[in-house]
Amino acid sequence: MAAPSAIDETLLRALEAVVGARGIVSGHARLSTYAADGLPLFSQAPDLVVLPRDTDETARVMALLHTAGVPIAARGSGTGLTGGATPAAGGVVVSTARMRSILELAPADRRARVQAGVVNADLTTAAAAHGLFYAPDPSSQQACTIGGNVANNSGGPHCFRHGNTTRHLLGVVVVLADGEVLDLVRDSNDPVGLDLVGNFCGSEGTFGIVTEVVVKLVPVPERVETLLALFTDLDAACGAVSDLIAQRLEPSAIEVLDRLTIEAVEASVYAAGYPVDAGAVVLCDVEGTDEEVEAIATDLVRIAERNGAFEVRRAADAAERKRLWAGRKGAFGAMGRVAPDLYVADAVVPRTKLRELVRLATEICRELDLKLANVFHAGDGNLHPNISYDRRDPDEVRRVLLAGTRILEACVAAGGSITGEHGVGLEKRDHMCALFGEDDLDAMRDVRRAWDPSGRLNPDKLLPIRRCSEIHADAVTTERVVPSA
Amino acid sequence: MPLSTRIDELLGDRVGRLSHWGGPNVPIASPRSESEVLALLDAARADGLAVLPIGNGTKLDHALIPTRVDLALSTRRLTGIVAYEPAEGVLTARAGTSLRVLRETVAAHGHHFSPEVPHEDRATLGGVVSAAPSGADRLRHGPVRDRVLGVRLARTDGRVVRSGGALVKDVAGYDLQRLVVGAHGSLGVVLEVSIRLASAADERVLVRRRLASVDEGLELARALAAALHASLRALRIDGDPERPWLTVDIEGRAAVVERSLARAHDVLGPVHVLRDAGAKRVADELRESRRLGGRWPQLEIDALPSRFGAALAAVRNEVRDAKLSVELHPALGLGWVRFAHTPGRAGAHTLARALRAAGATSRWCGLDAEVRRELVEAAGPPAGLALMERLRRAFDPTDTLATPRLHPELGPS
Ligand SMILES: Cc1cc2nc3c(=O)[nH]c(=O)nc-3n(C[C@H](O)[C@H](O)[C@H](O)COP(=O)(O)OP(=O)(O)OC[C@H]3O[C@@H](n4cnc5c(N)ncnc54)[C@H](O)[C@@H]3O)c2cc1C
Ligand SMILES: Cc1cc2nc3c(=O)[nH]c(=O)nc-3n(C[C@H](O)[C@H](O)[C@H](O)COP(=O)(O)OP(=O)(O)OC[C@H]3O[C@@H](n4cnc5c(N)ncnc54)[C@H](O)[C@@H]3O)c2cc1C
C-alpha cells in the first residue's frame, strides 16, 4: 500500500541543501537495500533515504518532510527482526548511519553521550579505557545502533542481571514529526514532570527520531567466569534454569543452546568448543568480586548437577570465555548452514514454565514438519525458537508463520508475552490483540497521537490498524497469519 | 455541604476528610472495590468535580498542591496480593496494600521489596508508585520506575487499562507504566501494580563513623563507592552538618560482606561495625528519620554525583546561620536538607537559583503551596512540557483529576 511518491524535485533539492549530496540515497537499485530489515518476509522500498549528520540536520529534514506530508521510517543498522525499519507505507527512510560520534564519556558520573547511530559494541570499546562498559549486549551488538536499541528497548544475554536498555537510559534528544527538537537529557536522577524518556524507550520509531542518547555505564567487574553446564536433553536444561531462578541465584547471564544450534555453531566459523554430544547446554557468566564469583559458581554447579547436568565446565581463561560467547552470539548466523532462511521467533514465558513451553514449541514445529533450533535468554524466560526455512517455498513460509503464531498463542496462554526484546513492528502488530484488550490498545493509541499527531512516523507498525474483533474474526475464517499491510 | 447527590449516595456514611495537607479541607471517599472507584469517577465527571487520587495521604505535598480539588479518592481499601509466585520473582498487588504487608510477604520467600520507605504501615503501593520516592535502598536496587513491570489504571472515563505485565522481560506495546510512575495521580487512579522483586541478602552490616565535616564525608564516599561497588546498599551522610555521621550499609553473601568490610576499614580506619539485630535497628531508625521531612520544610537536591559537592556548597553559602539537618547520598547525587525554620519566600528563591547555577535540581515539601508553585515556575518550563500536557489530556480529557500536580501548566488553563 505504498503511497505514490511524494518526493518532487523541489523537496529533493531542499533536502539535499540540508544533508549534502552524500546524505541522499535514491535510485531503484540503491533503495532496494533499505526495503527490509532482518525480517525479509516483508519488504517495501522507500521513495528516498536521507542521512542527516546531527540533530539540527535531522530537525530541518523532518520539518521539510512534515510540510510535504511524507511517511517516515527511522533506521539504524536494519538488524531489527520484526520489520520495524521497513518503510511499509513507502515514503522516506531517515537513517542514522552518519551519526556515529561518541560525544562525551563522563567516568565520574558513569555516563556517556552518543549520537544515535553509534554501534553498540563501539561504545563498550570506548568505555573500556575507563574501566566501564555499556551493559545491554544484543547478540547483534557488532552491528546494531544505540538508537535502534533505544527504539526497541533491546536486551541481550547480560540483561538477565543488568536489565534491558530502558534501565540504562538517562536521556534522549528526540526530533518530533514536525521537526521540533526535544532535549530530554537531564542532569538529575529523576525526571521533572512525566517520565518522557522512559515512555520513549521501546516506541519503535513511532514517537520521534532519537538523535542523541545518554546512557549509564557500569564498572567492569573485578572478575568474570564463564560456566558451561552440559545436559543430555533440552528438557533438563530448562528445568535447571527454572531451578536457578527459584533459588534466586544471580549470575549475569543464563543462556540455553540446544543440540541443533550447537551442531550449527560447531560447523561454522564461530566454533566455540561446545560438546556436540550434549542435548543442550546452559551457558552462564558469573561476575563480581572473587568471593562473589566463587560463591555463585559453587551454587550454580550444585543446582545444575541436581537437575541432571552430566558435566559443568569452567572456561580456563579469557580466550576460552570469549570463544564460548562468540559461539552464542554467532548462533543465528551459523544457522545459515541449516537452511537459506531463519525465522527468529521471540516470546516470553513465566520462568517457572520454561520446560513445558519449550516442549510445546518443539511439538508445534514437529507437527508442521519444520526444523526448529533453540538458542535463548533462558534466565529471563525469553524464548527464541528459530525455524529454518526457504523463502522460495510458499508452503513452507505459510507453515513457519503458522508455527510462529501458535507458539506465541501458547506463550500468552501460559501468562507470557509476544515479545521480550525484538519488539512488535510489522510482524506482531496483529498479535497485540492476543495480549491486550481494545481499551489498553486505545490508551496506547492516545499516547502515540500525543507524541505524533500527524501519524506519519512508522505508520502501520506496532498497533493494530483494525479493531481486534475484526482481526479475530478474520483469523478464525482464514487462518491468516501475515498482517494485512 | 453536599458535594453531589450521586456521590453522597455512593458513599453513605463512609466519608472521611482530608485536612492538614496544605490544600483545602475536602471529603475523602475510600471505595471498597474497583467498580466503586469507577462509579465515583463517573459521578465526579458528570458533576464536574475534581478528584485527587490518594493512598493514605502521607506524601501529598511532594507534588504541587492542586488548586482544583473537590474530592479525594483513596485506594487504601483496595488491598491484597493478586499474584505472587516466589519461583518467578514477581509480585502483583492492589494499590492499597501496605508496604509492610508486601515486605513481610516476600521476605518469607527470600525476596526483598524495593523501594524501602519510612512509615511502611501507612505507605500504600499505589502511593509509593505514584510518588516514586527514593527509597533508602536506591543505590543498590535502583529507582522505583525500574522495578514497576506493569500497572492497571482506571481512566476518568471509566475505562480500565493495563500496561506492561508481570514478566521480568516484555517489550510488547508502549510502556505507559513509565508515565504513571511518579505522575502523582495526574493520569488516572492506579488499581494494581506488578513489581520485580530483588533477592534478599544473606548478610548485612553497617559501618558508622563520625565525621569532622560534610566535605570529609564526600571524599570518603568517593573512595568507598569505588572500592565497594558490588555490595553497597547505601552510603549516606546524615545529621548535623557540623558533625555528621557517615553510614556505610553493606549487604550480600557472607564472604563478600567480610571482604567489603575489610576494604571499608582500609578507607576509613577504625570504625564502629554493627551486625545482625544491631544493624537492623539502626538501619530502621535511619529510614524512619526521613519522616521528619513531613514536619519540617525539606529541600531535596538532585544532581549528577560530580556536581553534588558544588550543590551542597551553594546551600551552605546561602543559609549560613540556619539550623539544618541533612541526609545525603553522594554516590547518587541525592540529598535532603531539613530546615528548623521556614526559609521564607525570598530565601527559598535565592536558594533555588544558587542550586540551579550549581547544576542541581531542587524540590521542596513542607513549604507554602504558593511559594512552591512560584519556585517551579521560576525554574523555567521543563523540556517537553507541551507534550506532557498533550499526554495528560489524552488520559483525562474531561479534567476530572485534580490539577496541577507536576507543573503549574499541566492542567486546564
Ligand atoms: C543476529 C541478530 C541477533 C540479534 N540479537 C538480539 C538480542 O540479543 N537482543 C535484542 O534485543 N535484539 C537482538 N536482535 C534484534 C536487533 O538487533 C535489535 O532490535 C537492535 O536494537 C536493532 O538495532 P538497529 O540499529 O539495527 O535498528 P533497526 O533495525 O534499523 O531499527 C529498529 C527499530 O528502531 C527504529 N529506529 C532505529 N533507529 C531509530 C532512531 N534513531 N530513532 C527512532 N527510531 C529508530 C526503527 O524504525 C525500527 O522500528 C538481533 C538481530 C540479529 C540480526
Ligand atoms: C509524615 C511522612 C513523611 C514521609 N516522608 C517521606 C520522605 O521524605 N521520603 C520518603 O521516601 N518517604 C516518605 N514517607 C513515606 C512514604 O514514602 C509515603 O508514605 C508513601 O510514598 C506515600 O504513601 P501513601 O500511600 O500515603 O500515598 P499518598 O501520600 O496518599 O500519595 C502519594 C502520591 O501518590 C498519589 N496517589 C496515591 N495513591 C494513588 C492511586 N491509587 N492512584 C493514583 N495516584 C495515587 C497521590 O496523589 C500523591 O501524589 C513519609 C511518610 C510519612 C507518614
Side-chain angles (χ1 to χ4, degrees):
Chain A
M1 56 164 283
S5 177
I7 318 292
D8 61 22
E9 203 48 38
T10 325
L11 178 59
L12 187 61
R13 250 190 241 114
L15 290 168
E16 200 174 305
V18 177
V19 297
R22 296 183 60 188
I24 301 276
V25 174
S26 60
H28 184 70
R30 290 177 71 205
L31 288 174
S32 65
T33 324
Y34 295 86
D37 61 2
L39 180 71
L41 288 174
F42 303 111
S43 85
Q44 166 66 53
D47 297 330
L48 194 74
V49 178
V50 184
L51 299 98
R53 280 165 291 204
D54 57 23
T55 304
D56 178 58
E57 285 188 7
T58 308
R60 286 153 65 199
V61 165
M62 295 294 276
L64 287 168
L65 297 174
H66 181 65
T67 310
V70 181
I72 291 157
R75 185 180 178 99
S77 296
T79 66
L81 293 167
T82 62
T86 304
V92 167
V93 163
V94 174
S95 159
T96 56
R98 292 202 302 170
M99 295 198 242
R100 295 254 147 123
S101 301
I102 294 175
L103 301 170
E104 190 193 350
L105 285 174
D109 293 318
R110 293 178 184 157
R111 333 206 301 171
R113 185 180 183 117
V114 301
Q115 282 193 304
V118 165
V119 168
N120 176 298
D122 292 348
L123 175 54
T124 278
T125 306
H130 303 280
L132 299 168
F133 73 108
Y134 178 58
D137 60 337
S139 304
S140 53
Q141 73 190 125
Q142 301 295 340
C144 66
T145 65
I146 299 288
N149 296 170
V150 169
N152 279 357
N153 188 9
S154 299
H158 291 80
C159 293
F160 172 67
R161 172 157 182 166
H162 296 284
N164 273 27
T165 304
T166 189
R167 271 205 253 160
H168 301 267
L169 188 62
L170 299 172
V172 284
V173 176
V174 177
V175 180
L176 298 181
D178 62 0
E180 183 189 348
V181 177
L182 285 188
D183 183 348
L184 303 175
V185 175
R186 59 171 187 263
D187 290 342
S188 57
N189 287 274
D190 292 317
V192 177
L194 296 174
D195 181 10
L196 298 178
V197 175
N199 188 218
F200 183 87
C201 192
S203 60
E204 302 189 17
T206 63
F207 283 0
I209 309 245
V210 54
T211 53
E212 290 182 24
V213 184
V214 175
V215 292
K216 204 185 284 181
L217 300 173
V218 180
V220 174
E222 287 175 27
R223 190 169 142 198
V224 184
E225 285 250 0
T226 302
L227 286 90
L228 191 69
L230 318 186
F231 294 83
T232 47
D233 60 70
L234 184 57
D235 219 44
C238 290
V241 173
S242 291
D243 198 10
L244 288 174
I245 303 299
Q247 300 307 312
R248 302 178 309 282
L249 218 58
E250 287 184 341
S252 50
I254 309 180
E255 301 283 308
V256 165
L257 290 78
D258 71 358
R259 186 194 301 269
L260 195 56
T261 309
I262 294 170
E263 284 170 0
V265 170
E266 289 308 308
S268 76
V269 293
Y270 304 105
Y274 299 145
V276 284
D277 56 337
V281 297
V282 178
L283 176 65
C284 293
D285 255 6
V286 180
E287 63 179 50
T289 56
D290 286 344
E291 296 80 6
E292 202 174 1
V293 169
E294 271 321 312
I296 297 176
T298 308
D299 285 353
L300 211 151
V301 171
R302 184 174 48 79
I303 295 171
E305 284 175 351
R306 82 175 177 208
N307 283 280
F310 63 84
E311 190 188 336
V312 183
R313 299 182 185 169
R314 274 199 194 203
D317 51 28
E320 190 179 352
R321 285 194 49 233
K322 208 169 158 193
R323 226 177 17 253
L324 287 172
W325 279 105
R328 162 61 186 93
K329 296 203 170 176
F332 292 162
M335 296 300 295
R337 299 180 61 89
V338 180
D341 296 298
L342 185 68
Y343 176 82
V344 183
D346 169 40
V348 191
V349 297
R351 298 177 292 180
T352 43
K353 295 182 180 162
L354 276 176
R355 194 195 282 256
E356 60 184 273
L357 269 302
V358 168
R359 214 184 271 161
L360 205 67
T362 312
E363 268 161 34
I364 290 170
C365 289
R366 191 181 301 134
E367 245 172 53
L368 290 166
D369 194 21
L370 293 166
K371 200 160 192 174
L372 170 72
N374 285 286
V375 46
F376 60 103
H377 311 305
D380 286 314
N382 189 181
L383 308 185
H384 287 327
N386 297 324
I387 308 174
S388 308
Y389 70 102
D390 182 342
R391 89 179 89 152
R392 292 162 304 188
D393 177 346
D395 187 62
E396 197 171 37
V397 169
R398 184 192 65 82
R399 282 179 285 128
V400 167
L401 290 170
L402 186 58
T405 300
R406 286 197 185 156
I407 291 170
L408 287 185
E409 280 168 358
C411 291
V412 172
S417 171
I418 59 170
T419 169
E421 55 177 23
H422 296 166
V424 176
L426 206 51
E427 184 207 3
K428 290 184 181 166
R429 188 186 67 202
D430 289 357
H431 290 118
M432 287 288 279
C433 291
L435 198 57
F436 293 105
E438 206 63 74
D439 288 349
D440 308 327
L441 295 173
D442 278 340
M444 292 186 198
R445 290 186 181 105
D446 290 345
V447 166
R448 180 179 189 152
R449 211 171 299 120
W451 281 88
D452 174 23
S454 78
R456 289 181 300 108
L457 298 183
N458 242 348
D460 305 348
K461 309 274 177 75
L462 204 148
L463 293 174
I465 45 183
R466 299 181 304 155
R467 306 308 281 178
C468 290
S469 50
E470 290 172 46
I471 292 169
H472 288 313
D474 248 22
V476 172
T477 49
T478 64
E479 232 186 24
R480 190 190 48 77
V481 286
V482 186
S484 49
Chain B
M1 197 176 58
L3 200 59
S4 128
T5 3
R6 232 182 108 196
I7 288 181
D8 289 348
E9 261 172 41
L10 282 167
L11 294 174
D13 53 6
R14 290 177 292 117
V15 190
R17 297 208 67 88
L18 185 64
S19 51
H20 305 295
W21 64 292
N25 186 312
V26 295
I28 307 177
S30 305
R32 282 166 305 194
S33 66
E34 283 189 21
S35 52
E36 281 188 12
V37 172
L38 298 178
L40 278 163
L41 287 173
D42 190 50
R45 197 183 60 240
D47 292 344
L49 299 176
V51 176
L52 177 68
I54 67 169
N56 271 313
T58 57
K59 220 183 172 202
L60 298 176
D61 75 342
H62 279 231
L64 295 179
I65 299 297
T67 48
R68 295 173 51 251
V69 53
D70 302 299
L71 172 72
L73 189 163
S74 169
T75 47
R76 73 193 169 85
R77 282 207 173 112
L78 303 181
T79 59
I81 288 164
V82 177
Y84 171 41
E85 171 63 70
E88 191 61 40
V90 175
L91 170 141
T92 304
R94 294 194 186 86
T97 316
S98 79
L99 257 60
R100 174 184 297 279
V101 168
L102 296 173
R103 184 179 55 75
E104 287 175 352
T105 305
V106 306
H109 298 277
H111 282 129
H112 166 71
F113 189 96
S114 179
E116 199 179 66
V117 297
H119 217 318
E120 61 175 13
D121 285 316
R122 303 264 297 153
T124 64
L125 180 59
V128 166
V129 162
S130 303
S134 289
D137 56 351
R138 179 168 181 166
L139 185 59
R140 185 167 178 83
H141 295 294
V144 177
R145 60 176 174 276
D146 283 354
R147 305 216 76 92
V148 174
L149 299 171
V151 295
R152 280 179 69 245
L153 182 82
R155 295 176 73 170
T156 51
D157 63 6
R159 284 184 287 179
V160 174
V161 301
R162 181 174 68 83
S163 156
L167 297 161
V168 290
K169 197 174 183 188
D170 182 4
V171 298
Y174 300 125
D175 278 357
L176 307 189
Q177 67 272 23
R178 285 273 171 165
L179 293 173
V180 172
V181 175
H184 282 277
S186 60
L187 302 179
V189 178
V190 175
L191 300 172
E192 222 172 85
V193 182
S194 297
I195 294 270
R196 180 172 56 85
L197 301 170
S199 295
D202 297 348
E203 295 264 324
R204 180 172 182 192
V205 299
L206 290 191
V207 174
R208 299 259 284 161
R209 205 189 102 168
R210 203 63 189 246
L211 299 166
S213 66
V214 167
D215 286 338
E216 185 195 10
L218 294 179
E219 201 155 304
L220 291 172
R222 254 191 301 279
L224 288 164
L228 305 181
H229 169 71
S231 54
L232 266 184
R233 186 179 210 269
L235 187 55
R236 57 185 264 171
I237 299 168
D238 52 47
D240 174 355
E242 301 301 319
R243 291 265 305 133
W245 283 92
L246 174 73
T247 307
V248 191
D249 191 342
I250 299 169
E251 71 171 23
R253 289 169 176 258
V256 181
V257 168
E258 291 314 315
R259 171 73 184 280
S260 298
L261 204 50
R263 288 183 180 183
H265 277 296
D266 291 345
V267 176
L268 297 172
V271 283
H272 187 41
V273 179
L274 291 151
R275 294 175 183 270
D276 308 321
K280 185 170 175 339
R281 185 179 47 77
V282 172
D284 288 351
E285 271 169 27
L286 289 173
R287 188 188 64 231
E288 294 306 315
S289 72
R290 283 241 194 130
R291 270 201 250 166
L292 291 174
R295 252 163 275 145
W296 294 3
Q298 173 172 274
L299 177 69
E300 180 177 304
I301 299 169
D302 186 348
L304 293 178
S306 63
R307 292 186 191 154
F308 193 58
L312 293 176
V315 174
R316 246 172 302 161
N317 244 332
E318 296 303 329
V319 287
R320 283 180 202 284
D321 322 311
K323 175 118 186 62
L324 304 177
S325 95
V326 295
E327 176 187 331
L328 310 173
H329 296 257
L332 288 166
L334 275 172
W336 291 270
V337 180
R338 277 158 223 139
F339 291 73
H341 302 285
T342 307
R345 181 160 171 266
H349 274 282
T350 319
L351 248 177
R353 261 197 307 275
L355 280 166
R356 268 202 302 284
T361 307
S362 60
R363 266 180 296 268
W364 279 95
C365 62
L367 200 66
D368 175 70
E370 191 54 41
V371 177
R372 285 199 53 201
R373 246 193 309 277
E374 276 177 33
L375 288 171
V376 172
E377 253 158 6
L385 186 62
L387 171 59
M388 289 181 207
E389 176 60 6
R390 289 202 295 276
L391 287 163
R392 188 198 66 79
R393 289 208 79 111
F395 277 90
D396 180 24
T398 48
D399 298 321
T400 302
L401 294 168
T403 52
R405 291 297 274 148
L406 300 171
H407 190 278
E409 283 169 42
L410 292 181
S413 40

